[in-house]
PDB file of all heavy atoms in Angstrom:
ATOM      1  N   ALA A   1      58.733 101.910 125.234  1.00 67.00           N
ATOM      2  CA  ALA A   1      58.125 102.928 126.086  1.00 67.00           C
ATOM      3  C   ALA A   1      56.804 103.398 125.498  1.00 67.00           C
ATOM      4  O   ALA A   1      56.557 103.306 124.299  1.00 67.00           O
ATOM      5  CB  ALA A   1      59.078 104.105 126.249  1.00 67.00           C
ATOM      6  N   SER A   2      55.935 103.919 126.369  1.00 71.00           N
ATOM      7  CA  SER A   2      54.656 104.440 125.931  1.00 71.00           C
ATOM      8  C   SER A   2      54.858 105.789 125.269  1.00 71.00           C
ATOM      9  O   SER A   2      55.539 106.671 125.805  1.00 71.00           O
ATOM     10  CB  SER A   2      53.717 104.583 127.135  1.00 71.00           C
ATOM     11  OG  SER A   2      52.486 105.150 126.741  1.00 71.00           O
ATOM     12  N   ALA A   3      54.301 105.973 124.055  1.00 95.00           N
ATOM     13  CA  ALA A   3      54.487 107.216 123.316  1.00 95.00           C
ATOM     14  C   ALA A   3      53.142 107.741 122.835  1.00 95.00           C
ATOM     15  O   ALA A   3      52.202 106.983 122.573  1.00 95.00           O
ATOM     16  CB  ALA A   3      55.423 107.000 122.136  1.00 95.00           C
ATOM     17  N   ASN A   4      53.070 109.068 122.717  1.00 96.00           N
ATOM     18  CA  ASN A   4      51.888 109.738 122.223  1.00 96.00           C
ATOM     19  C   ASN A   4      52.223 110.495 120.941  1.00 96.00           C
ATOM     20  O   ASN A   4      53.396 110.591 120.545  1.00 96.00           O
ATOM     21  CB  ASN A   4      51.341 110.715 123.267  1.00 96.00           C
ATOM     22  CG  ASN A   4      50.928 110.017 124.540  1.00 96.00           C
ATOM     23  OD1 ASN A   4      50.223 109.017 124.513  1.00 96.00           O
ATOM     24  ND2 ASN A   4      51.368 110.541 125.674  1.00 96.00           N
ATOM     25  N   VAL A   5      51.189 111.046 120.298  1.00 97.00           N
ATOM     26  CA  VAL A   5      51.417 111.870 119.119  1.00 97.00           C
ATOM     27  C   VAL A   5      52.321 113.035 119.504  1.00 97.00           C
ATOM     28  O   VAL A   5      52.096 113.718 120.502  1.00 97.00           O
ATOM     29  CB  VAL A   5      50.077 112.381 118.559  1.00 97.00           C
ATOM     30  CG1 VAL A   5      50.322 113.300 117.363  1.00 97.00           C
ATOM     31  CG2 VAL A   5      49.191 111.212 118.161  1.00 97.00           C
ATOM     32  N   GLY A   6      53.370 113.249 118.725  1.00 96.00           N
ATOM     33  CA  GLY A   6      54.343 114.296 119.023  1.00 96.00           C
ATOM     34  C   GLY A   6      55.624 113.764 119.629  1.00 96.00           C
ATOM     35  O   GLY A   6      56.642 114.459 119.635  1.00 96.00           O
ATOM     36  N   ASP A   7      55.594 112.530 120.152  1.00 97.00           N
ATOM     37  CA  ASP A   7      56.798 111.927 120.736  1.00 97.00           C
ATOM     38  C   ASP A   7      57.638 111.273 119.639  1.00 97.00           C
ATOM     39  O   ASP A   7      57.130 110.849 118.601  1.00 97.00           O
ATOM     40  CB  ASP A   7      56.426 110.860 121.768  1.00 97.00           C
ATOM     41  CG  ASP A   7      55.802 111.452 123.014  1.00 97.00           C
ATOM     42  OD1 ASP A   7      56.021 112.664 123.256  1.00 97.00           O
ATOM     43  OD2 ASP A   7      55.094 110.727 123.735  1.00 97.00           O
ATOM     44  N   LYS A   8      58.949 111.183 119.922  1.00 96.00           N
ATOM     45  CA  LYS A   8      59.837 110.479 118.999  1.00 96.00           C
ATOM     46  C   LYS A   8      60.364 109.215 119.666  1.00 96.00           C
ATOM     47  O   LYS A   8      60.537 109.159 120.884  1.00 96.00           O
ATOM     48  CB  LYS A   8      60.991 111.367 118.548  1.00 96.00           C
ATOM     49  CG  LYS A   8      61.955 111.778 119.638  1.00 96.00           C
ATOM     50  CD  LYS A   8      63.053 112.666 119.070  1.00 96.00           C
ATOM     51  CE  LYS A   8      63.992 113.159 120.165  1.00 96.00           C
ATOM     52  NZ  LYS A   8      65.057 114.025 119.625  1.00 96.00           N
ATOM     53  N   ILE A   9      60.609 108.201 118.842  1.00 97.00           N
ATOM     54  CA  ILE A   9      61.107 106.912 119.319  1.00 97.00           C
ATOM     55  C   ILE A   9      62.380 106.574 118.550  1.00 97.00           C
ATOM     56  O   ILE A   9      62.439 106.711 117.321  1.00 97.00           O
ATOM     57  CB  ILE A   9      60.061 105.799 119.126  1.00 97.00           C
ATOM     58  CG1 ILE A   9      58.816 106.098 119.967  1.00 97.00           C
ATOM     59  CG2 ILE A   9      60.634 104.438 119.506  1.00 97.00           C
ATOM     60  CD1 ILE A   9      57.702 105.074 119.803  1.00 97.00           C
ATOM     61  N   ALA A  10      63.399 106.153 119.274  1.00 96.00           N
ATOM     62  CA  ALA A  10      64.672 105.769 118.657  1.00 96.00           C
ATOM     63  C   ALA A  10      64.560 104.327 118.164  1.00 96.00           C
ATOM     64  O   ALA A  10      64.267 103.415 118.945  1.00 96.00           O
ATOM     65  CB  ALA A  10      65.803 105.900 119.665  1.00 96.00           C
ATOM     66  N   LEU A  11      64.796 104.119 116.886  1.00 96.00           N
ATOM     67  CA  LEU A  11      64.682 102.789 116.281  1.00 96.00           C
ATOM     68  C   LEU A  11      65.978 102.396 115.589  1.00 96.00           C
ATOM     69  O   LEU A  11      66.832 103.240 115.305  1.00 96.00           O
ATOM     70  CB  LEU A  11      63.533 102.766 115.266  1.00 96.00           C
ATOM     71  CG  LEU A  11      62.122 103.026 115.821  1.00 96.00           C
ATOM     72  CD1 LEU A  11      61.107 103.037 114.680  1.00 96.00           C
ATOM     73  CD2 LEU A  11      61.752 101.987 116.861  1.00 96.00           C
ATOM     74  N   THR A  12      66.103 101.095 115.334  1.00 95.00           N
ATOM     75  CA  THR A  12      67.248 100.538 114.620  1.00 95.00           C
ATOM     76  C   THR A  12      66.743  99.805 113.389  1.00 95.00           C
ATOM     77  O   THR A  12      65.844  98.958 113.490  1.00 95.00           O
ATOM     78  CB  THR A  12      68.039  99.572 115.506  1.00 95.00           C
ATOM     79  OG1 THR A  12      68.489 100.274 116.675  1.00 95.00           O
ATOM     80  CG2 THR A  12      69.231  98.999 114.770  1.00 95.00           C
ATOM     81  N   GLY A  13      67.304 100.120 112.230  1.00 92.00           N
ATOM     82  CA  GLY A  13      66.908  99.451 110.993  1.00 92.00           C
ATOM     83  C   GLY A  13      67.907  98.382 110.616  1.00 92.00           C
ATOM     84  O   GLY A  13      68.745  97.952 111.415  1.00 92.00           O
ATOM     85  N   ARG A  14      67.864  97.985 109.378  1.00 87.00           N
ATOM     86  CA  ARG A  14      68.791  96.959 108.893  1.00 87.00           C
ATOM     87  C   ARG A  14      70.174  97.550 108.671  1.00 87.00           C
ATOM     88  O   ARG A  14      70.329  98.754 108.458  1.00 87.00           O
ATOM     89  CB  ARG A  14      68.252  96.343 107.596  1.00 87.00           C
ATOM     90  CG  ARG A  14      68.074  97.340 106.483  1.00 87.00           C
ATOM     91  CD  ARG A  14      67.462  96.664 105.244  1.00 87.00           C
ATOM     92  NE  ARG A  14      67.265  97.617 104.160  1.00 87.00           N
ATOM     93  CZ  ARG A  14      68.216  97.995 103.323  1.00 87.00           C
ATOM     94  NH1 ARG A  14      69.449  97.511 103.455  1.00 87.00           N
ATOM     95  NH2 ARG A  14      67.959  98.864 102.356  1.00 87.00           N
ATOM     96  N   ASP A  15      71.174  96.708 108.733  1.00 85.00           N
ATOM     97  CA  ASP A  15      72.565  97.103 108.471  1.00 85.00           C
ATOM     98  C   ASP A  15      73.044  98.217 109.397  1.00 85.00           C
ATOM     99  O   ASP A  15      73.830  99.082 108.997  1.00 85.00           O
ATOM    100  CB  ASP A  15      72.736  97.544 107.016  1.00 85.00           C
ATOM    101  CG  ASP A  15      72.381  96.441 106.021  1.00 85.00           C
ATOM    102  OD1 ASP A  15      72.596  95.253 106.367  1.00 85.00           O
ATOM    103  OD2 ASP A  15      71.881  96.754 104.924  1.00 85.00           O
ATOM    104  N   GLY A  16      72.544  98.210 110.627  1.00 86.00           N
ATOM    105  CA  GLY A  16      73.025  99.175 111.612  1.00 86.00           C
ATOM    106  C   GLY A  16      72.469 100.577 111.483  1.00 86.00           C
ATOM    107  O   GLY A  16      73.021 101.523 112.065  1.00 86.00           O
ATOM    108  N   GLN A  17      71.395 100.760 110.716  1.00 94.00           N
ATOM    109  CA  GLN A  17      70.797 102.086 110.587  1.00 94.00           C
ATOM    110  C   GLN A  17      70.195 102.526 111.926  1.00 94.00           C
ATOM    111  O   GLN A  17      69.510 101.757 112.587  1.00 94.00           O
ATOM    112  CB  GLN A  17      69.717 102.090 109.503  1.00 94.00           C
ATOM    113  CG  GLN A  17      70.229 101.775 108.117  1.00 94.00           C
ATOM    114  CD  GLN A  17      69.107 101.732 107.090  1.00 94.00           C
ATOM    115  OE1 GLN A  17      67.958 102.014 107.395  1.00 94.00           O
ATOM    116  NE2 GLN A  17      69.455 101.367 105.865  1.00 94.00           N
ATOM    117  N   LYS A  18      70.477 103.784 112.311  1.00 96.00           N
ATOM    118  CA  LYS A  18      69.933 104.351 113.538  1.00 96.00           C
ATOM    119  C   LYS A  18      69.128 105.594 113.177  1.00 96.00           C
ATOM    120  O   LYS A  18      69.630 106.484 112.481  1.00 96.00           O
ATOM    121  CB  LYS A  18      71.059 104.744 114.506  1.00 96.00           C
ATOM    122  CG  LYS A  18      71.972 103.586 114.911  1.00 96.00           C
ATOM    123  CD  LYS A  18      71.285 102.642 115.850  1.00 96.00           C
ATOM    124  CE  LYS A  18      72.239 101.540 116.315  1.00 96.00           C
ATOM    125  NZ  LYS A  18      71.584 100.566 117.220  1.00 96.00           N
ATOM    126  N   PHE A  19      67.882 105.664 113.665  1.00 97.00           N
ATOM    127  CA  PHE A  19      67.061 106.818 113.332  1.00 97.00           C
ATOM    128  C   PHE A  19      65.975 107.036 114.393  1.00 97.00           C
ATOM    129  O   PHE A  19      65.559 106.103 115.088  1.00 97.00           O
ATOM    130  CB  PHE A  19      66.423 106.662 111.947  1.00 97.00           C
ATOM    131  CG  PHE A  19      65.685 105.364 111.748  1.00 97.00           C
ATOM    132  CD1 PHE A  19      64.318 105.259 112.000  1.00 97.00           C
ATOM    133  CD2 PHE A  19      66.357 104.235 111.300  1.00 97.00           C
ATOM    134  CE1 PHE A  19      63.646 104.063 111.807  1.00 97.00           C
ATOM    135  CE2 PHE A  19      65.693 103.024 111.115  1.00 97.00           C
ATOM    136  CZ  PHE A  19      64.332 102.937 111.367  1.00 97.00           C
ATOM    137  N   ASP A  20      65.570 108.301 114.512  1.00 97.00           N
ATOM    138  CA  ASP A  20      64.455 108.677 115.382  1.00 97.00           C
ATOM    139  C   ASP A  20      63.223 108.884 114.519  1.00 97.00           C
ATOM    140  O   ASP A  20      63.293 109.509 113.444  1.00 97.00           O
ATOM    141  CB  ASP A  20      64.744 109.981 116.142  1.00 97.00           C
ATOM    142  CG  ASP A  20      65.778 109.800 117.241  1.00 97.00           C
ATOM    143  OD1 ASP A  20      66.073 108.634 117.591  1.00 97.00           O
ATOM    144  OD2 ASP A  20      66.283 110.813 117.746  1.00 97.00           O
ATOM    145  N   VAL A  21      62.090 108.367 115.001  1.00 97.00           N
ATOM    146  CA  VAL A  21      60.827 108.530 114.283  1.00 97.00           C
ATOM    147  C   VAL A  21      59.856 109.305 115.168  1.00 97.00           C
ATOM    148  O   VAL A  21      59.675 108.974 116.344  1.00 97.00           O
ATOM    149  CB  VAL A  21      60.222 107.172 113.898  1.00 97.00           C
ATOM    150  CG1 VAL A  21      58.870 107.372 113.212  1.00 97.00           C
ATOM    151  CG2 VAL A  21      61.166 106.401 112.990  1.00 97.00           C
ATOM    152  N   THR A  22      59.231 110.325 114.596  1.00 97.00           N
ATOM    153  CA  THR A  22      58.242 111.128 115.319  1.00 97.00           C
ATOM    154  C   THR A  22      56.917 111.074 114.582  1.00 97.00           C
ATOM    155  O   THR A  22      56.861 111.319 113.364  1.00 97.00           O
ATOM    156  CB  THR A  22      58.684 112.599 115.427  1.00 97.00           C
ATOM    157  OG1 THR A  22      59.969 112.659 116.033  1.00 97.00           O
ATOM    158  CG2 THR A  22      57.695 113.402 116.257  1.00 97.00           C
ATOM    159  N   LEU A  23      55.856 110.710 115.305  1.00 97.00           N
ATOM    160  CA  LEU A  23      54.510 110.828 114.756  1.00 97.00           C
ATOM    161  C   LEU A  23      54.066 112.261 115.021  1.00 97.00           C
ATOM    162  O   LEU A  23      53.686 112.619 116.131  1.00 97.00           O
ATOM    163  CB  LEU A  23      53.565 109.823 115.414  1.00 97.00           C
ATOM    164  CG  LEU A  23      52.094 109.904 114.984  1.00 97.00           C
ATOM    165  CD1 LEU A  23      51.948 109.796 113.474  1.00 97.00           C
ATOM    166  CD2 LEU A  23      51.270 108.830 115.691  1.00 97.00           C
ATOM    167  N   VAL A  24      54.135 113.092 113.998  1.00 97.00           N
ATOM    168  CA  VAL A  24      53.929 114.529 114.166  1.00 97.00           C
ATOM    169  C   VAL A  24      52.456 114.891 114.263  1.00 97.00           C
ATOM    170  O   VAL A  24      52.046 115.683 115.126  1.00 97.00           O
ATOM    171  CB  VAL A  24      54.574 115.295 112.990  1.00 97.00           C
ATOM    172  CG1 VAL A  24      54.368 116.801 113.145  1.00 97.00           C
ATOM    173  CG2 VAL A  24      56.061 114.971 112.906  1.00 97.00           C
ATOM    174  N   LEU A  25      51.619 114.311 113.397  1.00 97.00           N
ATOM    175  CA  LEU A  25      50.221 114.754 113.302  1.00 97.00           C
ATOM    176  C   LEU A  25      49.344 113.610 112.818  1.00 97.00           C
ATOM    177  O   LEU A  25      49.765 112.784 112.001  1.00 97.00           O
ATOM    178  CB  LEU A  25      50.134 115.938 112.320  1.00 97.00           C
ATOM    179  CG  LEU A  25      48.776 116.606 112.118  1.00 97.00           C
ATOM    180  CD1 LEU A  25      48.316 117.279 113.413  1.00 97.00           C
ATOM    181  CD2 LEU A  25      48.867 117.630 110.985  1.00 97.00           C
ATOM    182  N   VAL A  26      48.096 113.579 113.328  1.00 97.00           N
ATOM    183  CA  VAL A  26      47.097 112.605 112.886  1.00 97.00           C
ATOM    184  C   VAL A  26      45.886 113.383 112.377  1.00 97.00           C
ATOM    185  O   VAL A  26      45.317 114.216 113.103  1.00 97.00           O
ATOM    186  CB  VAL A  26      46.679 111.660 114.027  1.00 97.00           C
ATOM    187  CG1 VAL A  26      45.548 110.737 113.561  1.00 97.00           C
ATOM    188  CG2 VAL A  26      47.869 110.843 114.511  1.00 97.00           C
ATOM    189  N   VAL A  27      45.489 113.128 111.133  1.00 96.00           N
ATOM    190  CA  VAL A  27      44.303 113.763 110.545  1.00 96.00           C
ATOM    191  C   VAL A  27      43.275 112.665 110.270  1.00 96.00           C
ATOM    192  O   VAL A  27      43.484 111.813 109.398  1.00 96.00           O
ATOM    193  CB  VAL A  27      44.652 114.505 109.239  1.00 96.00           C
ATOM    194  CG1 VAL A  27      43.400 115.189 108.676  1.00 96.00           C
ATOM    195  CG2 VAL A  27      45.759 115.519 109.475  1.00 96.00           C
ATOM    196  N   ASP A  28      42.182 112.698 111.020  1.00 96.00           N
ATOM    197  CA  ASP A  28      41.168 111.636 110.936  1.00 96.00           C
ATOM    198  C   ASP A  28      39.778 112.253 111.165  1.00 96.00           C
ATOM    199  O   ASP A  28      39.484 112.711 112.270  1.00 96.00           O
ATOM    200  CB  ASP A  28      41.455 110.566 111.988  1.00 96.00           C
ATOM    201  CG  ASP A  28      40.504 109.382 111.887  1.00 96.00           C
ATOM    202  OD1 ASP A  28      39.770 109.282 110.879  1.00 96.00           O
ATOM    203  OD2 ASP A  28      40.519 108.574 112.836  1.00 96.00           O
ATOM    204  N   PRO A  29      38.940 112.302 110.137  1.00 96.00           N
ATOM    205  CA  PRO A  29      39.178 111.818 108.761  1.00 96.00           C
ATOM    206  C   PRO A  29      39.950 112.856 107.952  1.00 96.00           C
ATOM    207  O   PRO A  29      39.953 114.045 108.281  1.00 96.00           O
ATOM    208  CB  PRO A  29      37.778 111.630 108.233  1.00 96.00           C
ATOM    209  CG  PRO A  29      36.967 112.672 108.955  1.00 96.00           C
ATOM    210  CD  PRO A  29      37.557 112.760 110.339  1.00 96.00           C
ATOM    211  N   ALA A  30      40.601 112.383 106.903  1.00 96.00           N
ATOM    212  CA  ALA A  30      41.377 113.258 106.024  1.00 96.00           C
ATOM    213  C   ALA A  30      40.633 113.457 104.711  1.00 96.00           C
ATOM    214  O   ALA A  30      39.932 112.557 104.224  1.00 96.00           O
ATOM    215  CB  ALA A  30      42.743 112.649 105.769  1.00 96.00           C
ATOM    216  N   GLN A  31      40.780 114.654 104.145  1.00 94.00           N
ATOM    217  CA  GLN A  31      40.127 114.966 102.880  1.00 94.00           C
ATOM    218  C   GLN A  31      40.948 114.414 101.708  1.00 94.00           C
ATOM    219  O   GLN A  31      42.174 114.548 101.684  1.00 94.00           O
ATOM    220  CB  GLN A  31      39.978 116.477 102.725  1.00 94.00           C
ATOM    221  CG  GLN A  31      39.074 117.124 103.758  1.00 94.00           C
ATOM    222  CD  GLN A  31      37.646 116.591 103.661  1.00 94.00           C
ATOM    223  OE1 GLN A  31      37.111 116.405 102.560  1.00 94.00           O
ATOM    224  NE2 GLN A  31      37.031 116.326 104.810  1.00 94.00           N
ATOM    225  N   PRO A  32      40.285 113.784 100.752  1.00 94.00           N
ATOM    226  CA  PRO A  32      41.003 113.273  99.580  1.00 94.00           C
ATOM    227  C   PRO A  32      41.556 114.421  98.742  1.00 94.00           C
ATOM    228  O   PRO A  32      40.978 115.500  98.681  1.00 94.00           O
ATOM    229  CB  PRO A  32      39.946 112.479  98.817  1.00 94.00           C
ATOM    230  CG  PRO A  32      38.646 113.052  99.257  1.00 94.00           C
ATOM    231  CD  PRO A  32      38.845 113.496 100.683  1.00 94.00           C
ATOM    232  N   ARG A  33      42.685 114.184  98.121  1.00 91.00           N
ATOM    233  CA  ARG A  33      43.331 115.228  97.326  1.00 91.00           C
ATOM    234  C   ARG A  33      42.534 115.534  96.068  1.00 91.00           C
ATOM    235  O   ARG A  33      42.436 116.695  95.635  1.00 91.00           O
ATOM    236  CB  ARG A  33      44.740 114.787  96.951  1.00 91.00           C
ATOM    237  CG  ARG A  33      45.475 115.775  96.058  1.00 91.00           C
ATOM    238  CD  ARG A  33      46.833 115.237  95.646  1.00 91.00           C
ATOM    239  NE  ARG A  33      47.684 114.993  96.800  1.00 91.00           N
ATOM    240  CZ  ARG A  33      48.915 114.479  96.712  1.00 91.00           C
ATOM    241  NH1 ARG A  33      49.400 114.134  95.525  1.00 91.00           N
ATOM    242  NH2 ARG A  33      49.626 114.283  97.788  1.00 91.00           N
ATOM    243  N   ASP A  34      41.959 114.518  95.443  1.00 90.00           N
ATOM    244  CA  ASP A  34      41.197 114.692  94.200  1.00 90.00           C
ATOM    245  C   ASP A  34      40.141 113.599  94.114  1.00 90.00           C
ATOM    246  O   ASP A  34      40.009 112.762  95.018  1.00 90.00           O
ATOM    247  CB  ASP A  34      42.128 114.660  92.980  1.00 90.00           C
ATOM    248  CG  ASP A  34      43.099 113.485  93.029  1.00 90.00           C
ATOM    249  OD1 ASP A  34      42.660 112.368  93.401  1.00 90.00           O
ATOM    250  OD2 ASP A  34      44.294 113.667  92.731  1.00 90.00           O
ATOM    251  N   THR A  35      39.407 113.606  93.029  1.00 89.00           N
ATOM    252  CA  THR A  35      38.329 112.619  92.863  1.00 89.00           C
ATOM    253  C   THR A  35      38.875 111.201  92.762  1.00 89.00           C
ATOM    254  O   THR A  35      38.194 110.241  93.123  1.00 89.00           O
ATOM    255  CB  THR A  35      37.503 112.940  91.603  1.00 89.00           C
ATOM    256  OG1 THR A  35      38.373 113.000  90.461  1.00 89.00           O
ATOM    257  CG2 THR A  35      36.792 114.274  91.754  1.00 89.00           C
ATOM    258  N   TYR A  36      40.084 111.089  92.304  1.00 89.00           N
ATOM    259  CA  TYR A  36      40.687 109.761  92.178  1.00 89.00           C
ATOM    260  C   TYR A  36      41.064 109.175  93.540  1.00 89.00           C
ATOM    261  O   TYR A  36      41.297 107.974  93.657  1.00 89.00           O
ATOM    262  CB  TYR A  36      41.924 109.811  91.280  1.00 89.00           C
ATOM    263  CG  TYR A  36      41.620 110.266  89.883  1.00 89.00           C
ATOM    264  CD1 TYR A  36      41.909 111.566  89.494  1.00 89.00           C
ATOM    265  CD2 TYR A  36      41.038 109.392  88.948  1.00 89.00           C
ATOM    266  CE1 TYR A  36      41.635 111.992  88.206  1.00 89.00           C
ATOM    267  CE2 TYR A  36      40.750 109.812  87.663  1.00 89.00           C
ATOM    268  CZ  TYR A  36      41.048 111.115  87.303  1.00 89.00           C
ATOM    269  OH  TYR A  36      40.759 111.534  86.005  1.00 89.00           O
ATOM    270  N   SER A  37      41.142 110.048  94.542  1.00 90.00           N
ATOM    271  CA  SER A  37      41.549 109.595  95.875  1.00 90.00           C
ATOM    272  C   SER A  37      40.361 109.371  96.799  1.00 90.00           C
ATOM    273  O   SER A  37      40.551 109.087  97.983  1.00 90.00           O
ATOM    274  CB  SER A  37      42.488 110.633  96.504  1.00 90.00           C
ATOM    275  OG  SER A  37      43.665 110.783  95.741  1.00 90.00           O
ATOM    276  N   THR A  38      39.158 109.483  96.278  1.00 93.00           N
ATOM    277  CA  THR A  38      37.975 109.282  97.107  1.00 93.00           C
ATOM    278  C   THR A  38      37.920 107.831  97.594  1.00 93.00           C
ATOM    279  O   THR A  38      38.086 106.895  96.799  1.00 93.00           O
ATOM    280  CB  THR A  38      36.696 109.594  96.307  1.00 93.00           C
ATOM    281  OG1 THR A  38      36.770 110.936  95.831  1.00 93.00           O
ATOM    282  CG2 THR A  38      35.461 109.425  97.177  1.00 93.00           C
ATOM    283  N   PRO A  39      37.726 107.619  98.914  1.00 94.00           N
ATOM    284  CA  PRO A  39      37.699 106.242  99.422  1.00 94.00           C
ATOM    285  C   PRO A  39      36.464 105.482  98.957  1.00 94.00           C
ATOM    286  O   PRO A  39      35.456 106.078  98.554  1.00 94.00           O
ATOM    287  CB  PRO A  39      37.680 106.439 100.943  1.00 94.00           C
ATOM    288  CG  PRO A  39      37.078 107.774 101.152  1.00 94.00           C
ATOM    289  CD  PRO A  39      37.527 108.613  99.988  1.00 94.00           C
ATOM    290  N   ASP A  40      36.538 104.180  99.004  1.00 93.00           N
ATOM    291  CA  ASP A  40      35.406 103.342  98.641  1.00 93.00           C
ATOM    292  C   ASP A  40      34.263 103.561  99.621  1.00 93.00           C
ATOM    293  O   ASP A  40      34.474 103.984 100.767  1.00 93.00           O
ATOM    294  CB  ASP A  40      35.824 101.873  98.656  1.00 93.00           C
ATOM    295  CG  ASP A  40      36.826 101.547  97.566  1.00 93.00           C
ATOM    296  OD1 ASP A  40      36.871 102.293  96.561  1.00 93.00           O
ATOM    297  OD2 ASP A  40      37.589 100.568  97.741  1.00 93.00           O
ATOM    298  N   PRO A  41      33.031 103.258  99.186  1.00 95.00           N
ATOM    299  CA  PRO A  41      31.879 103.399 100.089  1.00 95.00           C
ATOM    300  C   PRO A  41      32.096 102.592 101.379  1.00 95.00           C
ATOM    301  O   PRO A  41      32.573 101.447 101.341  1.00 95.00           O
ATOM    302  CB  PRO A  41      30.714 102.839  99.275  1.00 95.00           C
ATOM    303  CG  PRO A  41      31.126 103.042  97.847  1.00 95.00           C
ATOM    304  CD  PRO A  41      32.612 102.829  97.833  1.00 95.00           C
ATOM    305  N   GLY A  42      31.780 103.195 102.505  1.00 96.00           N
ATOM    306  CA  GLY A  42      31.963 102.524 103.791  1.00 96.00           C
ATOM    307  C   GLY A  42      33.360 102.699 104.374  1.00 96.00           C
ATOM    308  O   GLY A  42      33.636 102.195 105.472  1.00 96.00           O
ATOM    309  N   ASN A  43      34.229 103.425 103.667  1.00 96.00           N
ATOM    310  CA  ASN A  43      35.606 103.657 104.149  1.00 96.00           C
ATOM    311  C   ASN A  43      35.872 105.157 104.344  1.00 96.00           C
ATOM    312  O   ASN A  43      35.122 106.011 103.846  1.00 96.00           O
ATOM    313  CB  ASN A  43      36.639 103.091 103.172  1.00 96.00           C
ATOM    314  CG  ASN A  43      36.659 101.580 103.161  1.00 96.00           C
ATOM    315  OD1 ASN A  43      36.094 100.922 104.043  1.00 96.00           O
ATOM    316  ND2 ASN A  43      37.285 101.002 102.149  1.00 96.00           N
ATOM    317  N   ARG A  44      36.954 105.464 105.009  1.00 96.00           N
ATOM    318  CA  ARG A  44      37.414 106.845 105.195  1.00 96.00           C
ATOM    319  C   ARG A  44      38.934 106.878 105.084  1.00 96.00           C
ATOM    320  O   ARG A  44      39.602 105.841 105.195  1.00 96.00           O
ATOM    321  CB  ARG A  44      36.955 107.406 106.541  1.00 96.00           C
ATOM    322  CG  ARG A  44      37.725 106.884 107.757  1.00 96.00           C
ATOM    323  CD  ARG A  44      37.175 107.513 109.047  1.00 96.00           C
ATOM    324  NE  ARG A  44      38.014 107.276 110.209  1.00 96.00           N
ATOM    325  CZ  ARG A  44      37.938 106.212 111.002  1.00 96.00           C
ATOM    326  NH1 ARG A  44      37.048 105.247 110.733  1.00 96.00           N
ATOM    327  NH2 ARG A  44      38.728 106.100 112.051  1.00 96.00           N
ATOM    328  N   LEU A  45      39.468 108.077 104.896  1.00 97.00           N
ATOM    329  CA  LEU A  45      40.912 108.251 104.832  1.00 97.00           C
ATOM    330  C   LEU A  45      41.438 108.780 106.159  1.00 97.00           C
ATOM    331  O   LEU A  45      40.808 109.609 106.819  1.00 97.00           O
ATOM    332  CB  LEU A  45      41.296 109.232 103.707  1.00 97.00           C
ATOM    333  CG  LEU A  45      40.895 108.858 102.287  1.00 97.00           C
ATOM    334  CD1 LEU A  45      41.412 109.926 101.313  1.00 97.00           C
ATOM    335  CD2 LEU A  45      41.412 107.486 101.908  1.00 97.00           C
ATOM    336  N   VAL A  46      42.610 108.286 106.535  1.00 97.00           N
ATOM    337  CA  VAL A  46      43.329 108.772 107.713  1.00 97.00           C
ATOM    338  C   VAL A  46      44.744 109.106 107.242  1.00 97.00           C
ATOM    339  O   VAL A  46      45.400 108.275 106.596  1.00 97.00           O
ATOM    340  CB  VAL A  46      43.376 107.725 108.844  1.00 97.00           C
ATOM    341  CG1 VAL A  46      44.200 108.264 110.025  1.00 97.00           C
ATOM    342  CG2 VAL A  46      41.971 107.365 109.292  1.00 97.00           C
TER     343      VAL A  46
END
């Protein structure tokens, strides 16, 4: 089914695992946590 941000989708994993997944939030671009997390030149974080 067609889903948007905020919707949940019922999925099946291995060994009979059943779970719902929700894409709660999208942050684009995202701020790096520290200097070590700075993206390479020409890239951004999402």
Side-chain angles (χ1 to χ4, degrees):
S2 177
N4 298 312
V5 177
D7 291 339
K8 65 180 177 180
I9 297 178
L11 297 177
T12 301
R14 60 183 179 82
D15 300 328
Q17 297 177 4
K18 301 287 184 181
F19 52 93
D20 288 346
V21 177
T22 304
L23 176 55
V24 180
L25 183 65
V26 175
V27 182
D28 184 12
Q31 296 298 319
R33 177 184 299 178
D34 48 42
T35 56
Y36 299 102
S37 298
T38 302
D40 293 337
N43 289 346
R44 75 180 191 273
L45 300 182
V46 177

